[in-house]
Amino acid sequence: MASVRICVCGDPEVGKSSVITSLVKDVFITAKIQSVLPQVTIPPSIGTPENVTTTIVDTSALPQERDNLRKEIRKSNVILLVYSDHYSYERVALFWMPYFRSLGVNVPVVLCANKSDLTANGTTAQVVEDEMLPVMAEFKEIDSCIRTSARDHHNINEVFFLCQKAVTHPIAPLFDSKESLLKPAAVMALQRVFYLCDRDQDGYLNDKEIHDFQLKCFDKPLGDDDLDNIKQAIRRYSPESVSEKGIDQRGFLLLNRMFAEKGRHETIWTILRKFQYTDSLSLKETFLHPKFEVPPYCSAELSPSGYRFFVDLFLLFDKDNDGGLNDSELAALFAPTPGLPSSWRDASFPSSTVRNEAGHITLQGWLAQWSMTTYTEPKTTISYLAYLGFESPDRGGTTAALKITKARKRRKRPGRVERNVVLCYILGAASSGKSSLLDAFLSRPFSQTYHPTIKSRTAVNSVELPGGKQCYLILEELGELEPAILDNQAKLDACDIICYTYDSSDPDSFSHIVELRTRYPKLDDLPAVYVALKADNDKTTQRSELQPDEYTSSLKMSPPLHVSVTWQSISELFVHIAEAATYPSTAFPKQEEGPDRTNLYIALGAVICAGAAFVVIWRRATNAAD
């Protein structure tokens, strides 16, 4: 909010212009002043909240000025409605508030009872109870009310501060004054704040957590007496919300409700804005989706700080220390988020990654799942880091939890690709064993029942490469989307390696691979490995022009690996796939190599060097003779 525009309205002779003049001059002007003052602009340097520029517009209630009044009301951010006696008070409910509604404006109204210096107007408590509270109950647009005196300069600065606060710290989104309750959206936002501040996730804010919260939101420490007063105030309404452990969530919400009831809603807004909430109580778009672009041929991975954050999160919510997150623990972990990412639900999480015997996701599976999400949808990971409260040590924002890998455009060049997460498409004929391969990758028991794969399915797990280096391998079975994906160049560019599978006991299985490579020639641009599955069954001759070994030999590639998902050695296949993905030049069809002329080039180079040396010596000798 860069500016606040206040439209001062009210009946004639209620003191609108005097209130403005008293603010500007800081003293009551006894001389007659013009009926409508010119526009007044107060710069942000003069003690305004939120550093906003404030514009004050005086208006006239005369019928001939009604068009101008209408225009100014519609241009304003807040209306200051002034009355001074019983007649002008009655007109608040009978004319002014219905008139504002008829204009269709949705701005807060600050009600001002002016001329409090006149003793006939009664005490402040009496005015509040008899006049202000009834009209506030009838019209929810009225944000606050105050009693002023332009003559005595009483509450003049305060009334305009209330107008500013009604715009910069609106009460309407936070509090239902009729029910005297925080609104649901405010409750949800404050519950997320409580979740993020409850560092040990024991359901209480202990003294240290409260002090940390105070420093984060208000940049100043909380005194011991202040903390005791806060606890005492909560105990007065909810004794069970304060214990030796600290303040529970109900007590935290109660404290904020008391702030709202006492007109201290700017305190609530300070808290919410520090946690990146907008005036509509949604998280800022720039906070959830900061700029993060992955260049062509590159990929996104979690950085060390990102992995550390997700490890700590897992350990914090594994309350029973069984090495897995059950449904209730997952629900508690994702409480401050919209729920599981949609891609996780589509992949039937947690069946897409490693689980323990009870079916709960393990730490290995948890990190693998986030590695896959970061690889395929980095912006989803970034938004969930924001929801879950990731804080960068160097204030780099949520993007500090990710890193960009080096481009791997030239895959045929020898050497390692600098990636720790790789994607493999599993291609092959129906019933060749692709789904069983994914199950074996996640250490699931083998099932004899055949279930055709309709929609694409993924599995992700960590693989230890030779030398001890770990990488995350994503296996994807494409299902009915296979033709569309293999025709999509962007999808092929995202893939690191192809795994061609066939059933070694089915004579028609391998021909599907040959047809596939013929139909989609762009597959030749990707590294590949060939795998003969169901090797525990009797091997049969394939109905193909070339047998699998002959076919791969014609491409000058390694012969198919013969494996079975029922064998313990199946894990070696996944290491082989991951290694081929990280060293892609080893998994390409090799072209015919010409004769090795290395020795010829060396000899030719030696002759040239000797000739050059002879010429130099001869010239030196000739010059010496001259």
Side-chain angles (χ1 to χ4, degrees):
M1 180 63 63
S3 63
V4 173
R5 189 177 182 88
I6 304 170
C7 183
V8 184
C9 301
D11 286 351
E13 306 300 328
V14 294
K16 302 187 296 295
S17 301
S18 296
V19 169
I20 299 172
T21 306
S22 184
L23 173 74
V24 174
K25 301 293 186 180
D26 208 27
V27 66
F28 180 66
I29 304 298
T30 56
K32 185 172 178 60
I33 57 178
Q34 60 195 91
S35 58
V36 179
L37 295 174
Q39 179 177 301
V40 175
T41 300
I42 303 173
S45 57
I46 305 181
T48 57
E50 299 289 306
N51 292 320
V52 295
T53 299
T54 305
T55 303
I56 304 170
V57 180
D58 195 8
T59 62
S60 171
L62 296 176
Q64 59 268 31
E65 295 291 337
R66 197 56 55 86
D67 284 344
N68 185 61
L69 174 64
R70 188 183 305 113
K71 290 177 184 176
E72 291 298 342
I73 289 173
R74 284 180 170 154
K75 286 161 59 178
S76 66
N77 303 116
V78 59
I79 297 170
L80 176 59
L81 180 55
V82 184
Y83 74 92
S84 63
D85 54 25
H86 183 71
Y87 174 75
S88 56
Y89 166 72
E90 291 291 334
R91 292 257 299 162
V92 169
L94 295 177
F95 170 74
W96 285 105
M97 295 306 299
Y99 178 65
F100 298 151
R101 287 181 174 180
S102 72
L103 296 179
V105 295
N106 182 26
V107 296
V109 177
V110 174
L111 188 60
C112 172
N114 195 28
K115 302 185 180 181
S116 63
D117 52 291
L118 302 178
T119 54
N121 287 347
T123 63
T124 298
Q126 185 180 354
V127 169
V128 169
E129 184 174 352
D130 296 345
E131 297 178 2
M132 294 178 171
L133 291 181
V135 76
M136 286 185 74
E138 184 178 354
F139 299 99
K140 296 303 175 188
E141 304 94 315
I142 299 178
D143 181 88
S144 56
C145 53
I146 190 170
R147 205 166 178 228
T148 65
S149 169
R151 180 181 295 277
D152 295 343
H153 199 72
H154 174 63
N155 279 346
I156 296 301
N157 291 348
E158 287 76 5
V159 69
F160 287 100
F161 173 73
L162 285 178
C163 291
Q164 293 168 329
K165 194 169 73 166
V167 178
T168 59
H169 301 92
I171 186 66
L174 301 177
F175 190 66
D176 186 336
S177 55
K178 183 177 180 180
E179 300 291 336
S180 192
L181 293 172
L182 292 169
K183 290 188 175 179
V187 170
M188 288 181 63
L190 289 168
Q191 284 174 335
R192 176 176 172 272
V193 171
F194 182 91
Y195 167 100
L196 296 179
C197 294
D198 183 14
R199 294 292 187 179
D200 55 7
Q201 287 299 316
D202 64 347
Y204 294 87
L205 294 183
N206 58 42
D207 289 357
K208 183 182 184 308
E209 290 167 341
I210 293 173
H211 282 294
D212 292 343
F213 165 77
Q214 170 75 15
L215 283 172
K216 178 180 176 68
C217 294
F218 304 102
D219 297 320
K220 58 182 180 181
L222 189 69
D224 292 339
D225 291 342
D226 295 329
L227 181 55
D228 290 339
N229 291 337
I230 288 172
K231 291 180 178 180
Q232 193 60 40
I234 295 172
R235 276 198 195 95
R236 196 173 302 125
Y237 297 96
S238 179
E240 65 278 7
S241 293
V242 180
S243 67
E244 292 182 358
K245 293 182 178 180
I247 299 171
D248 66 10
Q249 187 182 97
R250 182 185 176 194
F252 181 72
L253 294 174
L254 178 61
L255 178 64
N256 283 278
R257 192 185 88 186
M258 288 190 286
F259 288 148
E261 288 174 335
K262 294 177 180 178
R264 291 180 54 192
H265 40 280
E266 70 273 13
T267 302
I268 304 175
W269 277 118
T270 301
I271 295 169
L272 294 177
R273 285 171 181 160
K274 186 62 73 170
F275 283 87
Q276 306 296 328
Y277 281 94
T278 65
D279 289 353
S280 60
L281 294 179
S282 60
L283 288 169
K284 292 178 182 176
E285 186 66 17
T286 53
F287 175 64
L288 284 179
H289 304 110
K291 186 177 180 181
F292 185 83
E293 299 297 333
V294 180
Y297 306 107
C298 298
S299 66
E301 297 179 1
L302 288 171
S303 67
S305 62
Y307 277 115
R308 187 161 51 250
F309 174 78
F310 283 117
V311 168
D312 292 343
L313 206 60
F314 182 96
L315 298 176
L316 185 61
F317 281 89
D318 182 18
K319 296 297 185 183
D320 52 11
N321 293 317
D322 66 344
L325 295 179
N326 58 40
D327 291 345
S328 62
E329 290 168 341
L330 274 174
L333 191 155
F334 282 100
T337 74
L340 291 177
S342 58
S343 59
W344 291 27
R345 293 193 296 271
D346 294 341
S348 303
F349 173 84
S351 65
S352 57
T353 190
V354 185
R355 296 179 290 178
N356 60 19
E357 292 180 357
H360 305 148
I361 185 171
T362 63
L363 177 59
Q364 179 183 347
W366 173 252
L367 296 179
Q369 185 73 27
W370 279 113
S371 297
M372 178 172 68
T373 305
T374 306
Y375 182 93
T376 57
E377 305 173 298
K379 292 186 177 179
T380 298
T381 297
I382 289 172
S383 64
Y384 272 78
L385 286 165
Y387 286 124
L388 293 167
F390 173 83
E391 292 181 351
S392 171
D394 56 359
R395 299 184 178 273
T398 49
T399 55
L402 275 66
K403 65 177 183 179
I404 301 292
T405 63
K406 291 182 179 179
R408 55 126 171 82
K409 185 175 180 180
R410 299 177 180 175
R411 305 195 215 203
K412 295 183 180 181
R413 177 178 291 177
R416 187 180 189 279
V417 172
E418 294 300 322
R419 292 194 173 195
N420 297 315
V421 183
V422 290
L423 171 63
C424 172
Y425 289 160
I426 307 293
L427 304 181
S431 75
S432 62
K434 300 186 295 295
S435 296
S436 295
L437 189 64
L438 266 66
D439 288 335
F441 185 45
L442 301 177
S443 302
R444 307 277 162 76
F446 172 67
S447 172
Q448 295 281 359
T449 308
Y450 173 65
H451 297 286
T453 302
I454 307 301
K455 70 174 188 176
S456 63
R457 180 189 168 199
T458 57
V460 59
N461 199 351
S462 59
V463 175
E464 186 173 328
L465 300 175
K469 187 174 180 62
Q470 186 183 68
C471 84
Y472 288 97
L473 175 62
I474 305 168
L475 300 182
E476 184 169 356
E477 184 184 1
L478 305 182
E480 291 186 345
L481 292 176
E482 182 177 287
I485 291 175
L486 298 185
D487 262 333
N488 187 324
Q489 187 60 50
K491 291 288 187 182
L492 292 179
D493 288 341
C495 177
D496 292 284
I497 191 166
I498 299 288
C499 178
Y500 295 108
T501 64
Y502 69 97
D503 179 355
S504 60
S505 63
D506 179 357
D508 297 315
S509 189
F510 186 76
S511 61
H512 178 80
I513 295 176
V514 179
E515 293 169 6
L516 205 63
R517 295 188 73 243
T518 304
R519 194 181 317 139
Y520 302 102
K522 290 182 179 179
L523 289 174
D524 289 348
D525 296 333
L526 296 175
V529 296
Y530 292 80
V531 179
L533 293 173
K534 305 185 183 180
D536 54 329
N537 296 336
D538 292 336
K539 181 181 177 181
T540 187
T541 302
Q542 296 292 316
R543 296 192 183 102
S544 177
E545 185 177 343
L546 295 174
Q547 292 302 297
D549 285 18
E550 296 171 339
Y551 183 82
T552 53
S553 178
S554 70
L555 297 174
K556 297 201 177 296
M557 294 186 68
S558 301
L561 292 173
H562 289 258
V563 296
S564 170
V565 297
T566 61
W567 295 349
Q568 291 291 331
S569 59
I570 188 67
S571 60
E572 296 176 11
L573 169 63
F574 306 125
V575 174
H576 178 69
I577 294 173
E579 193 172 15
T582 52
Y583 291 90
S585 64
T586 63
F588 273 106
K590 296 178 177 61
Q591 302 300 320
E592 283 291 338
E593 297 179 359
D596 189 355
R597 295 189 174 93
T598 304
N599 293 333
L600 176 63
Y601 294 148
I602 293 173
L604 184 60
V607 169
I608 293 172
C609 290
F614 174 77
V615 170
V616 170
I617 294 169
W618 177 76
R619 283 183 177 176
R620 286 181 179 175
T622 303
N623 292 336
D626 292 342

